[in-house]
Amino acid sequence: MSEREYGIFLPIANGGWLVSETAPHPDGSYDYNKKAAIMAEDAGMDFVMSMGKWKGFGGSTDHWGRTLESMTMMAGIAEATSRVKIWATVHANVHNPVVAAKMFTTIDQISGGRAGMNIVSGAYAEEFMQMGEWDATLSKEARYRMVDEWTEAVTRLWTEDSVTLDGEFFTLTDAESRPHPVKPPTIISAGNSPAGRDFQARRSNGAFLSGATMEELRDSSRDVHERAAALGREVKTYGMLTVVMAETDALAEKRVDEIGVGVDREALANMRVSWGMPRDRVSSWTESATGHDAFQTPYVFGSPDTIVGHINTVVEGAELDGLMIIFPDYLDDLPPFGESVLPVLRAQDADRAAQAWSAQA
């Protein structure tokens, strides 16, 4: 039985993952992210990941209006850390596979084999329209074919001295990317559609999943595990969770309420328009938005003991291999999480492993 993995989603964009005027507001700077990554490593977490984002959503908070670039930032964080896995995001619709292959080989060397590549196709039309890189004629299925072909090209470039590819989306002619990475970077992918889960099972090592209910998330996790096993592969599944912790449940609930008071409805509306939701539907949704909508992921709150229980419920209920955790204020919230929650989760892992070994002996 493998140990569950826990990591953080770095706040590479201002505001982090709380869309609210009354929430803590990480500035998205390299200094802030480096401190958070070092704290995560010191706490004993397994990985740090950053997203790729090219345009924000405005509103009173200017949500994600200021962002850094994922791969170059994570190269710096690789140098600033020594153990934690370094997962950076690359857009297959923007970065040529030859360029990306060499960038991640560089991160592999800087990190000493800790590099991971989170591959995305780009779902927010406006951020790619601004640079002339949005092809509105591509269906969702076509985008997955594009990402699949892109991933084939990159993985071949990491292992072959010369790659020629005459594909539907990419053409490589005697392409080279040497040196090869000593350890091929871990491939990460997020997606919940059947096409997305098929890609995860065939190409990735880790799959980030979401679901409207625990059952839906569990079914997605089972599907990825089963598809991968049928191919003789192993793919770890992860969920995302915002953790709001305080000394007591009541104080944690107060933090949640305070965050909700300042929900930035304009930024949330702009985000949904960028997803493709018609403006008239967005206007109707905005009127009914509540403080809970300030949270961009599922969230839990409570004392350290309560948080441990919540995390176990999510991981066990959805049959996940780990979680990527978001905090309202990483610099204030990571140390107590590392002191009061993570050691308990690790001890529980050790107990489960011992019980499993004993049962097999």
Side-chain angles (χ1 to χ4, degrees), residues 192 197 200 207-227 237-240 312-321 323:
N192 287 299
R197 295 195 297 272
Q200 291 164 339
F208 281 101
L209 304 169
S210 61
T213 65
M214 184 79 75
E215 292 74 19
E216 186 177 310
L217 182 58
R218 179 205 61 203
D219 290 347
S220 293
S221 181
R222 283 181 179 175
D223 187 40
V224 172
H225 284 147
E226 290 169 0
R227 287 173 186 257
T237 60
Y238 304 86
M240 288 187 288
N312 282 327
T313 296
V314 172
V315 175
E316 292 172 5
E319 300 178 11
L320 300 171
D321 298 299
L323 284 177

PDB file of all heavy atoms in Angstrom, residues 192 197 200 207-227 237-240 312-321 323:
ATOM      1  N   ASN A 192     -12.005  15.435 -16.552  1.00  0.00           N
ATOM      2  CA  ASN A 192     -13.038  14.553 -16.026  1.00  0.00           C
ATOM      3  C   ASN A 192     -13.883  13.877 -17.106  1.00  0.00           C
ATOM      4  O   ASN A 192     -14.657  12.973 -16.807  1.00  0.00           O
ATOM      5  CB  ASN A 192     -13.969  15.340 -15.097  1.00  0.00           C
ATOM      6  CG  ASN A 192     -13.299  15.659 -13.774  1.00  0.00           C
ATOM      7  OD1 ASN A 192     -12.918  14.765 -13.033  1.00  0.00           O
ATOM      8  ND2 ASN A 192     -13.138  16.941 -13.491  1.00  0.00           N
ATOM      9  N   ARG A 197     -10.109  11.128 -19.159  1.00  0.00           N
ATOM     10  CA  ARG A 197      -9.686   9.983 -18.356  1.00  0.00           C
ATOM     11  C   ARG A 197      -8.938   8.947 -19.200  1.00  0.00           C
ATOM     12  O   ARG A 197      -8.015   8.289 -18.709  1.00  0.00           O
ATOM     13  CB  ARG A 197     -10.896   9.361 -17.654  1.00  0.00           C
ATOM     14  CG  ARG A 197     -11.540  10.300 -16.641  1.00  0.00           C
ATOM     15  CD  ARG A 197     -12.495   9.575 -15.707  1.00  0.00           C
ATOM     16  NE  ARG A 197     -13.623   8.976 -16.394  1.00  0.00           N
ATOM     17  CZ  ARG A 197     -14.770   9.602 -16.648  1.00  0.00           C
ATOM     18  NH1 ARG A 197     -14.922  10.870 -16.294  1.00  0.00           N
ATOM     19  NH2 ARG A 197     -15.761   8.974 -17.256  1.00  0.00           N
ATOM     20  N   GLN A 200      -5.450  10.307 -19.466  1.00  0.00           N
ATOM     21  CA  GLN A 200      -4.755  10.113 -18.197  1.00  0.00           C
ATOM     22  C   GLN A 200      -4.288   8.670 -18.047  1.00  0.00           C
ATOM     23  O   GLN A 200      -3.149   8.414 -17.624  1.00  0.00           O
ATOM     24  CB  GLN A 200      -5.678  10.506 -17.041  1.00  0.00           C
ATOM     25  CG  GLN A 200      -5.949  11.997 -16.957  1.00  0.00           C
ATOM     26  CD  GLN A 200      -7.139  12.341 -16.088  1.00  0.00           C
ATOM     27  OE1 GLN A 200      -8.002  11.506 -15.834  1.00  0.00           O
ATOM     28  NE2 GLN A 200      -7.197  13.580 -15.614  1.00  0.00           N
ATOM     29  N   ALA A 207      -3.359  11.992 -12.148  1.00  0.00           N
ATOM     30  CA  ALA A 207      -4.584  12.556 -12.699  1.00  0.00           C
ATOM     31  C   ALA A 207      -5.283  13.402 -11.638  1.00  0.00           C
ATOM     32  O   ALA A 207      -5.602  12.906 -10.552  1.00  0.00           O
ATOM     33  CB  ALA A 207      -5.521  11.446 -13.163  1.00  0.00           C
ATOM     34  N   PHE A 208      -5.507  14.685 -11.962  1.00  0.00           N
ATOM     35  CA  PHE A 208      -6.284  15.552 -11.086  1.00  0.00           C
ATOM     36  C   PHE A 208      -7.740  15.504 -11.520  1.00  0.00           C
ATOM     37  O   PHE A 208      -8.057  15.744 -12.688  1.00  0.00           O
ATOM     38  CB  PHE A 208      -5.755  16.986 -11.124  1.00  0.00           C
ATOM     39  CG  PHE A 208      -4.519  17.167 -10.292  1.00  0.00           C
ATOM     40  CD1 PHE A 208      -3.269  17.214 -10.883  1.00  0.00           C
ATOM     41  CD2 PHE A 208      -4.614  17.261  -8.917  1.00  0.00           C
ATOM     42  CE1 PHE A 208      -2.125  17.354 -10.116  1.00  0.00           C
ATOM     43  CE2 PHE A 208      -3.470  17.398  -8.136  1.00  0.00           C
ATOM     44  CZ  PHE A 208      -2.224  17.454  -8.731  1.00  0.00           C
ATOM     45  N   LEU A 209      -8.610  15.187 -10.556  1.00  0.00           N
ATOM     46  CA  LEU A 209     -10.015  14.965 -10.857  1.00  0.00           C
ATOM     47  C   LEU A 209     -10.892  15.859  -9.980  1.00  0.00           C
ATOM     48  O   LEU A 209     -10.475  16.317  -8.917  1.00  0.00           O
ATOM     49  CB  LEU A 209     -10.377  13.500 -10.604  1.00  0.00           C
ATOM     50  CG  LEU A 209      -9.544  12.465 -11.358  1.00  0.00           C
ATOM     51  CD1 LEU A 209      -9.825  11.068 -10.815  1.00  0.00           C
ATOM     52  CD2 LEU A 209      -9.829  12.523 -12.858  1.00  0.00           C
ATOM     53  N   SER A 210     -12.109  16.073 -10.420  1.00  0.00           N
ATOM     54  CA  SER A 210     -13.096  16.800  -9.622  1.00  0.00           C
ATOM     55  C   SER A 210     -14.451  16.150  -9.848  1.00  0.00           C
ATOM     56  O   SER A 210     -14.625  15.326 -10.751  1.00  0.00           O
ATOM     57  CB  SER A 210     -13.144  18.281 -10.012  1.00  0.00           C
ATOM     58  OG  SER A 210     -13.511  18.429 -11.377  1.00  0.00           O
ATOM     59  N   GLY A 211     -15.409  16.526  -9.016  1.00  0.00           N
ATOM     60  CA  GLY A 211     -16.744  15.973  -9.158  1.00  0.00           C
ATOM     61  C   GLY A 211     -17.744  16.789  -8.365  1.00  0.00           C
ATOM     62  O   GLY A 211     -17.404  17.380  -7.340  1.00  0.00           O
ATOM     63  N   ALA A 212     -18.976  16.824  -8.840  1.00  0.00           N
ATOM     64  CA  ALA A 212     -20.016  17.578  -8.147  1.00  0.00           C
ATOM     65  C   ALA A 212     -20.385  16.913  -6.827  1.00  0.00           C
ATOM     66  O   ALA A 212     -20.850  17.580  -5.895  1.00  0.00           O
ATOM     67  CB  ALA A 212     -21.248  17.706  -9.039  1.00  0.00           C
ATOM     68  N   THR A 213     -20.172  15.600  -6.731  1.00  0.00           N
ATOM     69  CA  THR A 213     -20.443  14.855  -5.503  1.00  0.00           C
ATOM     70  C   THR A 213     -19.270  13.930  -5.213  1.00  0.00           C
ATOM     71  O   THR A 213     -18.428  13.672  -6.086  1.00  0.00           O
ATOM     72  CB  THR A 213     -21.724  14.003  -5.637  1.00  0.00           C
ATOM     73  OG1 THR A 213     -21.497  12.995  -6.653  1.00  0.00           O
ATOM     74  CG2 THR A 213     -22.918  14.863  -6.026  1.00  0.00           C
ATOM     75  N   MET A 214     -19.236  13.420  -3.985  1.00  0.00           N
ATOM     76  CA  MET A 214     -18.192  12.468  -3.619  1.00  0.00           C
ATOM     77  C   MET A 214     -18.272  11.229  -4.500  1.00  0.00           C
ATOM     78  O   MET A 214     -17.245  10.676  -4.929  1.00  0.00           O
ATOM     79  CB  MET A 214     -18.344  12.078  -2.147  1.00  0.00           C
ATOM     80  CG  MET A 214     -17.253  11.169  -1.647  1.00  0.00           C
ATOM     81  SD  MET A 214     -15.733  12.052  -1.261  1.00  0.00           S
ATOM     82  CE  MET A 214     -16.232  12.824   0.280  1.00  0.00           C
ATOM     83  N   GLU A 215     -19.497  10.802  -4.788  1.00  0.00           N
ATOM     84  CA  GLU A 215     -19.673   9.605  -5.609  1.00  0.00           C
ATOM     85  C   GLU A 215     -19.138   9.820  -7.018  1.00  0.00           C
ATOM     86  O   GLU A 215     -18.518   8.925  -7.610  1.00  0.00           O
ATOM     87  CB  GLU A 215     -21.153   9.217  -5.658  1.00  0.00           C
ATOM     88  CG  GLU A 215     -21.716   8.714  -4.334  1.00  0.00           C
ATOM     89  CD  GLU A 215     -21.937   9.817  -3.311  1.00  0.00           C
ATOM     90  OE1 GLU A 215     -21.999  11.007  -3.725  1.00  0.00           O
ATOM     91  OE2 GLU A 215     -22.023   9.508  -2.114  1.00  0.00           O
ATOM     92  N   GLU A 216     -19.382  11.017  -7.561  1.00  0.00           N
ATOM     93  CA  GLU A 216     -18.899  11.320  -8.908  1.00  0.00           C
ATOM     94  C   GLU A 216     -17.382  11.330  -8.949  1.00  0.00           C
ATOM     95  O   GLU A 216     -16.756  10.811  -9.886  1.00  0.00           O
ATOM     96  CB  GLU A 216     -19.459  12.676  -9.348  1.00  0.00           C
ATOM     97  CG  GLU A 216     -19.157  13.043 -10.791  1.00  0.00           C
ATOM     98  CD  GLU A 216     -19.796  14.365 -11.181  1.00  0.00           C
ATOM     99  OE1 GLU A 216     -21.015  14.519 -10.934  1.00  0.00           O
ATOM    100  OE2 GLU A 216     -19.077  15.229 -11.722  1.00  0.00           O
ATOM    101  N   LEU A 217     -16.758  11.910  -7.922  1.00  0.00           N
ATOM    102  CA  LEU A 217     -15.302  11.929  -7.839  1.00  0.00           C
ATOM    103  C   LEU A 217     -14.756  10.517  -7.680  1.00  0.00           C
ATOM    104  O   LEU A 217     -13.767  10.142  -8.326  1.00  0.00           O
ATOM    105  CB  LEU A 217     -14.868  12.815  -6.667  1.00  0.00           C
ATOM    106  CG  LEU A 217     -13.368  12.998  -6.436  1.00  0.00           C
ATOM    107  CD1 LEU A 217     -12.693  13.573  -7.673  1.00  0.00           C
ATOM    108  CD2 LEU A 217     -13.129  13.903  -5.222  1.00  0.00           C
ATOM    109  N   ARG A 218     -15.414   9.717  -6.857  1.00  0.00           N
ATOM    110  CA  ARG A 218     -14.984   8.321  -6.674  1.00  0.00           C
ATOM    111  C   ARG A 218     -15.070   7.539  -7.978  1.00  0.00           C
ATOM    112  O   ARG A 218     -14.162   6.776  -8.325  1.00  0.00           O
ATOM    113  CB  ARG A 218     -15.866   7.654  -5.615  1.00  0.00           C
ATOM    114  CG  ARG A 218     -15.534   6.186  -5.342  1.00  0.00           C
ATOM    115  CD  ARG A 218     -16.744   5.455  -4.800  1.00  0.00           C
ATOM    116  NE  ARG A 218     -17.861   5.477  -5.758  1.00  0.00           N
ATOM    117  CZ  ARG A 218     -19.134   5.329  -5.399  1.00  0.00           C
ATOM    118  NH1 ARG A 218     -19.474   5.196  -4.130  1.00  0.00           N
ATOM    119  NH2 ARG A 218     -20.079   5.338  -6.341  1.00  0.00           N
ATOM    120  N   ASP A 219     -16.163   7.719  -8.709  1.00  0.00           N
ATOM    121  CA  ASP A 219     -16.329   6.995  -9.968  1.00  0.00           C
ATOM    122  C   ASP A 219     -15.244   7.377 -10.968  1.00  0.00           C
ATOM    123  O   ASP A 219     -14.736   6.518 -11.713  1.00  0.00           O
ATOM    124  CB  ASP A 219     -17.712   7.272 -10.560  1.00  0.00           C
ATOM    125  CG  ASP A 219     -18.836   6.629  -9.748  1.00  0.00           C
ATOM    126  OD1 ASP A 219     -18.532   5.779  -8.889  1.00  0.00           O
ATOM    127  OD2 ASP A 219     -20.008   6.997  -9.963  1.00  0.00           O
ATOM    128  N   SER A 220     -14.882   8.661 -11.001  1.00  0.00           N
ATOM    129  CA  SER A 220     -13.812   9.100 -11.905  1.00  0.00           C
ATOM    130  C   SER A 220     -12.483   8.479 -11.511  1.00  0.00           C
ATOM    131  O   SER A 220     -11.703   8.035 -12.360  1.00  0.00           O
ATOM    132  CB  SER A 220     -13.715  10.625 -11.908  1.00  0.00           C
ATOM    133  OG  SER A 220     -14.855  11.213 -12.494  1.00  0.00           O
ATOM    134  N   SER A 221     -12.206   8.450 -10.203  1.00  0.00           N
ATOM    135  CA  SER A 221     -10.958   7.859  -9.732  1.00  0.00           C
ATOM    136  C   SER A 221     -10.899   6.370 -10.062  1.00  0.00           C
ATOM    137  O   SER A 221      -9.877   5.862 -10.542  1.00  0.00           O
ATOM    138  CB  SER A 221     -10.828   8.078  -8.220  1.00  0.00           C
ATOM    139  OG  SER A 221      -9.622   7.531  -7.734  1.00  0.00           O
ATOM    140  N   ARG A 222     -12.008   5.670  -9.817  1.00  0.00           N
ATOM    141  CA  ARG A 222     -12.040   4.239 -10.164  1.00  0.00           C
ATOM    142  C   ARG A 222     -11.814   4.031 -11.652  1.00  0.00           C
ATOM    143  O   ARG A 222     -11.093   3.112 -12.065  1.00  0.00           O
ATOM    144  CB  ARG A 222     -13.398   3.660  -9.767  1.00  0.00           C
ATOM    145  CG  ARG A 222     -13.583   3.388  -8.292  1.00  0.00           C
ATOM    146  CD  ARG A 222     -14.961   2.784  -8.037  1.00  0.00           C
ATOM    147  NE  ARG A 222     -15.168   2.496  -6.619  1.00  0.00           N
ATOM    148  CZ  ARG A 222     -16.315   2.052  -6.115  1.00  0.00           C
ATOM    149  NH1 ARG A 222     -17.349   1.836  -6.945  1.00  0.00           N
ATOM    150  NH2 ARG A 222     -16.433   1.820  -4.829  1.00  0.00           N
ATOM    151  N   ASP A 223     -12.435   4.877 -12.457  1.00  0.00           N
ATOM    152  CA  ASP A 223     -12.338   4.720 -13.908  1.00  0.00           C
ATOM    153  C   ASP A 223     -10.900   4.873 -14.376  1.00  0.00           C
ATOM    154  O   ASP A 223     -10.408   4.079 -15.188  1.00  0.00           O
ATOM    155  CB  ASP A 223     -13.245   5.750 -14.589  1.00  0.00           C
ATOM    156  CG  ASP A 223     -13.331   5.534 -16.095  1.00  0.00           C
ATOM    157  OD1 ASP A 223     -13.408   4.361 -16.528  1.00  0.00           O
ATOM    158  OD2 ASP A 223     -13.321   6.524 -16.844  1.00  0.00           O
ATOM    159  N   VAL A 224     -10.198   5.897 -13.862  1.00  0.00           N
ATOM    160  CA  VAL A 224      -8.805   6.094 -14.257  1.00  0.00           C
ATOM    161  C   VAL A 224      -7.950   4.918 -13.802  1.00  0.00           C
ATOM    162  O   VAL A 224      -7.126   4.384 -14.564  1.00  0.00           O
ATOM    163  CB  VAL A 224      -8.255   7.422 -13.681  1.00  0.00           C
ATOM    164  CG1 VAL A 224      -6.749   7.526 -13.921  1.00  0.00           C
ATOM    165  CG2 VAL A 224      -8.961   8.613 -14.312  1.00  0.00           C
ATOM    166  N   HIS A 225      -8.143   4.490 -12.557  1.00  0.00           N
ATOM    167  CA  HIS A 225      -7.373   3.344 -12.052  1.00  0.00           C
ATOM    168  C   HIS A 225      -7.610   2.097 -12.899  1.00  0.00           C
ATOM    169  O   HIS A 225      -6.663   1.377 -13.258  1.00  0.00           O
ATOM    170  CB  HIS A 225      -7.769   3.053 -10.602  1.00  0.00           C
ATOM    171  CG  HIS A 225      -7.199   4.010  -9.607  1.00  0.00           C
ATOM    172  ND1 HIS A 225      -7.861   4.368  -8.454  1.00  0.00           N
ATOM    173  CD2 HIS A 225      -6.021   4.699  -9.578  1.00  0.00           C
ATOM    174  CE1 HIS A 225      -7.127   5.215  -7.759  1.00  0.00           C
ATOM    175  NE2 HIS A 225      -6.005   5.436  -8.418  1.00  0.00           N
ATOM    176  N   GLU A 226      -8.869   1.834 -13.231  1.00  0.00           N
ATOM    177  CA  GLU A 226      -9.203   0.626 -13.995  1.00  0.00           C
ATOM    178  C   GLU A 226      -8.695   0.702 -15.427  1.00  0.00           C
ATOM    179  O   GLU A 226      -8.185  -0.289 -15.971  1.00  0.00           O
ATOM    180  CB  GLU A 226     -10.715   0.406 -13.960  1.00  0.00           C
ATOM    181  CG  GLU A 226     -11.233  -0.004 -12.584  1.00  0.00           C
ATOM    182  CD  GLU A 226     -12.745   0.032 -12.471  1.00  0.00           C
ATOM    183  OE1 GLU A 226     -13.405   0.389 -13.487  1.00  0.00           O
ATOM    184  OE2 GLU A 226     -13.271  -0.287 -11.392  1.00  0.00           O
ATOM    185  N   ARG A 227      -8.838   1.873 -16.062  1.00  0.00           N
ATOM    186  CA  ARG A 227      -8.339   2.026 -17.432  1.00  0.00           C
ATOM    187  C   ARG A 227      -6.823   1.830 -17.469  1.00  0.00           C
ATOM    188  O   ARG A 227      -6.280   1.171 -18.372  1.00  0.00           O
ATOM    189  CB  ARG A 227      -8.679   3.422 -17.979  1.00  0.00           C
ATOM    190  CG  ARG A 227     -10.142   3.651 -18.335  1.00  0.00           C
ATOM    191  CD  ARG A 227     -10.349   5.117 -18.694  1.00  0.00           C
ATOM    192  NE  ARG A 227     -11.735   5.480 -18.922  1.00  0.00           N
ATOM    193  CZ  ARG A 227     -12.287   5.671 -20.122  1.00  0.00           C
ATOM    194  NH1 ARG A 227     -11.551   5.523 -21.212  1.00  0.00           N
ATOM    195  NH2 ARG A 227     -13.544   6.016 -20.222  1.00  0.00           N
ATOM    196  N   THR A 237      -4.367   9.137  -8.582  1.00  0.00           N
ATOM    197  CA  THR A 237      -5.442  10.118  -8.710  1.00  0.00           C
ATOM    198  C   THR A 237      -5.414  11.075  -7.526  1.00  0.00           C
ATOM    199  O   THR A 237      -5.141  10.677  -6.381  1.00  0.00           O
ATOM    200  CB  THR A 237      -6.814   9.439  -8.785  1.00  0.00           C
ATOM    201  OG1 THR A 237      -7.043   8.675  -7.586  1.00  0.00           O
ATOM    202  CG2 THR A 237      -6.903   8.521 -10.000  1.00  0.00           C
ATOM    203  N   TYR A 238      -5.705  12.346  -7.826  1.00  0.00           N
ATOM    204  CA  TYR A 238      -5.672  13.400  -6.811  1.00  0.00           C
ATOM    205  C   TYR A 238      -6.931  14.256  -6.908  1.00  0.00           C
ATOM    206  O   TYR A 238      -7.494  14.437  -7.993  1.00  0.00           O
ATOM    207  CB  TYR A 238      -4.470  14.325  -7.019  1.00  0.00           C
ATOM    208  CG  TYR A 238      -3.128  13.642  -7.056  1.00  0.00           C
ATOM    209  CD1 TYR A 238      -2.628  13.109  -8.250  1.00  0.00           C
ATOM    210  CD2 TYR A 238      -2.348  13.527  -5.909  1.00  0.00           C
ATOM    211  CE1 TYR A 238      -1.395  12.481  -8.292  1.00  0.00           C
ATOM    212  CE2 TYR A 238      -1.112  12.904  -5.934  1.00  0.00           C
ATOM    213  CZ  TYR A 238      -0.640  12.382  -7.138  1.00  0.00           C
ATOM    214  OH  TYR A 238       0.588  11.766  -7.185  1.00  0.00           O
ATOM    215  N   GLY A 239      -7.344  14.796  -5.781  1.00  0.00           N
ATOM    216  CA  GLY A 239      -8.380  15.816  -5.744  1.00  0.00           C
ATOM    217  C   GLY A 239      -7.778  17.126  -5.291  1.00  0.00           C
ATOM    218  O   GLY A 239      -6.619  17.179  -4.869  1.00  0.00           O
ATOM    219  N   MET A 240      -8.557  18.190  -5.387  1.00  0.00           N
ATOM    220  CA  MET A 240      -8.138  19.500  -4.891  1.00  0.00           C
ATOM    221  C   MET A 240      -9.055  19.921  -3.756  1.00  0.00           C
ATOM    222  O   MET A 240     -10.270  19.713  -3.822  1.00  0.00           O
ATOM    223  CB  MET A 240      -8.163  20.540  -6.006  1.00  0.00           C
ATOM    224  CG  MET A 240      -7.056  20.372  -7.027  1.00  0.00           C
ATOM    225  SD  MET A 240      -6.990  21.731  -8.219  1.00  0.00           S
ATOM    226  CE  MET A 240      -8.459  21.391  -9.182  1.00  0.00           C
ATOM    227  N   ASN A 312      -9.552  12.618   5.553  1.00  0.00           N
ATOM    228  CA  ASN A 312      -9.735  11.168   5.445  1.00  0.00           C
ATOM    229  C   ASN A 312     -11.041  10.823   4.750  1.00  0.00           C
ATOM    230  O   ASN A 312     -11.098   9.900   3.923  1.00  0.00           O
ATOM    231  CB  ASN A 312      -9.708  10.531   6.838  1.00  0.00           C
ATOM    232  CG  ASN A 312      -8.304  10.383   7.395  1.00  0.00           C
ATOM    233  OD1 ASN A 312      -7.357  10.173   6.647  1.00  0.00           O
ATOM    234  ND2 ASN A 312      -8.165  10.514   8.699  1.00  0.00           N
ATOM    235  N   THR A 313     -12.080  11.580   5.065  1.00  0.00           N
ATOM    236  CA  THR A 313     -13.373  11.330   4.416  1.00  0.00           C
ATOM    237  C   THR A 313     -13.282  11.514   2.911  1.00  0.00           C
ATOM    238  O   THR A 313     -13.794  10.701   2.135  1.00  0.00           O
ATOM    239  CB  THR A 313     -14.444  12.282   4.995  1.00  0.00           C
ATOM    240  OG1 THR A 313     -14.622  11.995   6.381  1.00  0.00           O
ATOM    241  CG2 THR A 313     -15.769  12.113   4.271  1.00  0.00           C
ATOM    242  N   VAL A 314     -12.594  12.581   2.480  1.00  0.00           N
ATOM    243  CA  VAL A 314     -12.480  12.866   1.054  1.00  0.00           C
ATOM    244  C   VAL A 314     -11.614  11.818   0.356  1.00  0.00           C
ATOM    245  O   VAL A 314     -12.008  11.243  -0.668  1.00  0.00           O
ATOM    246  CB  VAL A 314     -11.903  14.277   0.823  1.00  0.00           C
ATOM    247  CG1 VAL A 314     -11.608  14.499  -0.652  1.00  0.00           C
ATOM    248  CG2 VAL A 314     -12.879  15.336   1.330  1.00  0.00           C
ATOM    249  N   VAL A 315     -10.439  11.553   0.903  1.00  0.00           N
ATOM    250  CA  VAL A 315      -9.508  10.641   0.240  1.00  0.00           C
ATOM    251  C   VAL A 315     -10.050   9.214   0.211  1.00  0.00           C
ATOM    252  O   VAL A 315      -9.999   8.531  -0.818  1.00  0.00           O
ATOM    253  CB  VAL A 315      -8.123  10.698   0.916  1.00  0.00           C
ATOM    254  CG1 VAL A 315      -7.184   9.663   0.298  1.00  0.00           C
ATOM    255  CG2 VAL A 315      -7.519  12.091   0.781  1.00  0.00           C
ATOM    256  N   GLU A 316     -10.595   8.764   1.338  1.00  0.00           N
ATOM    257  CA  GLU A 316     -11.129   7.414   1.380  1.00  0.00           C
ATOM    258  C   GLU A 316     -12.432   7.305   0.589  1.00  0.00           C
ATOM    259  O   GLU A 316     -12.643   6.345  -0.164  1.00  0.00           O
ATOM    260  CB  GLU A 316     -11.364   7.004   2.837  1.00  0.00           C
ATOM    261  CG  GLU A 316     -10.078   6.840   3.626  1.00  0.00           C
ATOM    262  CD  GLU A 316     -10.332   6.629   5.108  1.00  0.00           C
ATOM    263  OE1 GLU A 316     -11.513   6.513   5.510  1.00  0.00           O
ATOM    264  OE2 GLU A 316      -9.342   6.602   5.873  1.00  0.00           O
ATOM    265  N   GLY A 317     -13.310   8.297   0.751  1.00  0.00           N
ATOM    266  CA  GLY A 317     -14.601   8.238   0.074  1.00  0.00           C
ATOM    267  C   GLY A 317     -14.480   8.282  -1.429  1.00  0.00           C
ATOM    268  O   GLY A 317     -15.262   7.645  -2.145  1.00  0.00           O
ATOM    269  N   ALA A 318     -13.505   9.038  -1.938  1.00  0.00           N
ATOM    270  CA  ALA A 318     -13.326   9.160  -3.384  1.00  0.00           C
ATOM    271  C   ALA A 318     -12.246   8.224  -3.919  1.00  0.00           C
ATOM    272  O   ALA A 318     -11.956   8.258  -5.118  1.00  0.00           O
ATOM    273  CB  ALA A 318     -12.982  10.600  -3.742  1.00  0.00           C
ATOM    274  N   GLU A 319     -11.661   7.420  -3.042  1.00  0.00           N
ATOM    275  CA  GLU A 319     -10.634   6.450  -3.435  1.00  0.00           C
ATOM    276  C   GLU A 319      -9.485   7.119  -4.183  1.00  0.00           C
ATOM    277  O   GLU A 319      -9.061   6.690  -5.256  1.00  0.00           O
ATOM    278  CB  GLU A 319     -11.267   5.322  -4.270  1.00  0.00           C
ATOM    279  CG  GLU A 319     -12.346   4.563  -3.512  1.00  0.00           C
ATOM    280  CD  GLU A 319     -13.027   3.480  -4.328  1.00  0.00           C
ATOM    281  OE1 GLU A 319     -12.519   3.162  -5.430  1.00  0.00           O
ATOM    282  OE2 GLU A 319     -14.062   2.957  -3.885  1.00  0.00           O
ATOM    283  N   LEU A 320      -8.969   8.183  -3.579  1.00  0.00           N
ATOM    284  CA  LEU A 320      -7.884   8.958  -4.161  1.00  0.00           C
ATOM    285  C   LEU A 320      -6.535   8.496  -3.624  1.00  0.00           C
ATOM    286  O   LEU A 320      -6.440   7.889  -2.556  1.00  0.00           O
ATOM    287  CB  LEU A 320      -8.072  10.444  -3.849  1.00  0.00           C
ATOM    288  CG  LEU A 320      -9.354  11.102  -4.354  1.00  0.00           C
ATOM    289  CD1 LEU A 320      -9.492  12.509  -3.768  1.00  0.00           C
ATOM    290  CD2 LEU A 320      -9.373  11.160  -5.878  1.00  0.00           C
ATOM    291  N   ASP A 321      -5.489   8.847  -4.365  1.00  0.00           N
ATOM    292  CA  ASP A 321      -4.128   8.574  -3.919  1.00  0.00           C
ATOM    293  C   ASP A 321      -3.492   9.781  -3.240  1.00  0.00           C
ATOM    294  O   ASP A 321      -2.387   9.675  -2.699  1.00  0.00           O
ATOM    295  CB  ASP A 321      -3.256   8.159  -5.110  1.00  0.00           C
ATOM    296  CG  ASP A 321      -3.757   6.876  -5.748  1.00  0.00           C
ATOM    297  OD1 ASP A 321      -3.783   5.851  -5.055  1.00  0.00           O
ATOM    298  OD2 ASP A 321      -4.144   6.910  -6.937  1.00  0.00           O
ATOM    299  N   LEU A 323      -4.004  14.441  -2.332  1.00  0.00           N
ATOM    300  CA  LEU A 323      -4.704  15.718  -2.440  1.00  0.00           C
ATOM    301  C   LEU A 323      -3.725  16.831  -2.746  1.00  0.00           C
ATOM    302  O   LEU A 323      -2.584  16.840  -2.258  1.00  0.00           O
ATOM    303  CB  LEU A 323      -5.413  16.068  -1.121  1.00  0.00           C
ATOM    304  CG  LEU A 323      -6.704  15.355  -0.746  1.00  0.00           C
ATOM    305  CD1 LEU A 323      -7.154  15.841   0.631  1.00  0.00           C
ATOM    306  CD2 LEU A 323      -7.797  15.610  -1.778  1.00  0.00           C
TER     307      LEU A 323
END
